[in-house]
């Protein structure tokens, strides 16, 4: 069947060949484990039950998880094993099941979520995405996903083309995020500060690109209001594989402070900022072709 799961619209038969995302018709998982490096409302005290999928439809040139983006790494999972993994993470005490880069595997994940919920999955399900999504694909998860963590990476099409091969990124992502809001609204937390439902938009401040961060924040305010939960991330870390300027250097404290000051000046009321010690810290967990869980 011709794949049009995401806006790349490759129209290829993934049973015969991989598309831009690197994914064939099988689901590959590179890591499933309790993860403690998400926002406090997601990781909580017991960890987020993350499932890292192999392959990516953005392939950002600065990605810390770049080893996963070609889609060939990780262990092949059936739908039933995926559902079992979700239940196992719940048994381990995870606050949620956190699907990282799920988009290319939409249909298998939808089936696995239905099976897992039938078999007793009750913790919230998190959809963790770069937001290069069609509205139709986001709709496929309606009633199955409780929390959306969408990136809004760029507003300037020149940046999104250069860094993520998608000049239409902003126009596509903002509509996908609007659909997420339609489904679940802004993020709400329980009495312990743990997220139970809703959307929180993430934005990673890039070196030399604070001008675009300001545009992204303007767009969030204009479309979703100042009550929109926002995570302003500082954790950009240059990787040796990326020599493109200005992504070949770390984010400076001055740049992050400038971005955060602008965010606050716009009046956002629910902002998660990262410790400045996050600058240069490696957040990449170990990946493997065998999932030991
Ligand atoms: S999911 Fe992969 S194969 Fe399908 S349209 Fe997107 S990039 Fe192409």
């Amino acid at each position: 069947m011709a794949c049009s799961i995401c806006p790349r619209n490759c129209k290829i038969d993934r049973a015969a060949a991989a598309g831009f995302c690197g994914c064939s018709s099988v689901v590959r998982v590179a890591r499933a484990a309790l993860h403690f490096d998400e926002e406090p409302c997601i990781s909580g005290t017991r960890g987020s039950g993350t499932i890292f999928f192999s392959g990516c439809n953005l392939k950002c040139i600065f990605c810390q998880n770049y080893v996963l983006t070609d889609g060939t790494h990780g262990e092949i999972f059936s739908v039933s094993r995926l559902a079992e993994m979700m239940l196992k993470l719940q048994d381990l005490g995870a606050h949620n099941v956190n699907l990282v880069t799920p988009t290319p595997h939409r249909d298998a994940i939808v089936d696995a979520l239905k099976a897992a919920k039938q078999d007793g999955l009750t913790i919230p399900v998190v959809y963790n995405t770069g937001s290069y999504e069609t509205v139709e694909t986001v709709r496929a998860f309606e009633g199955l996903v409780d929390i959306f963590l969408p990136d809004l990476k760029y507003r300037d099409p020149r940046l999104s083309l250069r860094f993520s091969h998608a000049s239409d990124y902003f126009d596509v992502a903002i509509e996908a995020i609007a659909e997420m809001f339609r489904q679940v609204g802004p993020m709400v937390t329980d009495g312990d500060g743990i997220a139970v439902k809703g959307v929180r938009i993430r934005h990673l401040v890039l070196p030399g690109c604070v001008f675009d961060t300001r545009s992204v924040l303007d767009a969030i305010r204009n479309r979703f209001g100042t009550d929109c939960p926002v995570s302003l991330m500082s954790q950009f870390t240059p990787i040796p594989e990326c020599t493109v300027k200005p992504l070949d250097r770390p984010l400076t404290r001055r740049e992050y402070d400038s971005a955060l000051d602008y965010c606050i000046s716009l009046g956002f009321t629910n902002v998660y900022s990262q410790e400045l010690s996050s600058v240069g810290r490696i957040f990449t967990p170990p990946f493997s072709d065998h999932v030991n869980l």
Side-chain angles (χ1 to χ4, degrees), residues 3-12 14 18-23 56-57 103-105:
C3 186
S4 56
I5 283 178
C6 87
R8 298 278 177 206
N9 203 14
C10 298
K11 291 196 174 131
I12 52 124
R14 283 172 44 185
F20 178 93
C21 58
C23 300
C56 181
N57 69 340
T103 313
H105 307 294

Side-chain angles (χ1 to χ4, degrees), residues 108-153:
I109 294 173
V110 164
D111 289 345
L113 284 170
K114 287 177 180 169
K117 283 174 184 274
Q118 209 158 26
D119 289 345
L121 184 73
T122 56
I123 56 177
V125 173
V126 181
Y127 192 87
N128 196 329
T129 174
S131 304
Y132 199 53
E133 306 269 5
T134 64
V135 168
E136 182 191 13
T137 284
V138 179
R139 280 200 187 127
F141 289 94
E142 186 160 12
L144 296 171
V145 165
D146 304 283
I147 296 165
F148 287 95
L149 291 179
D151 294 331
L152 192 52
K153 294 172 182 284

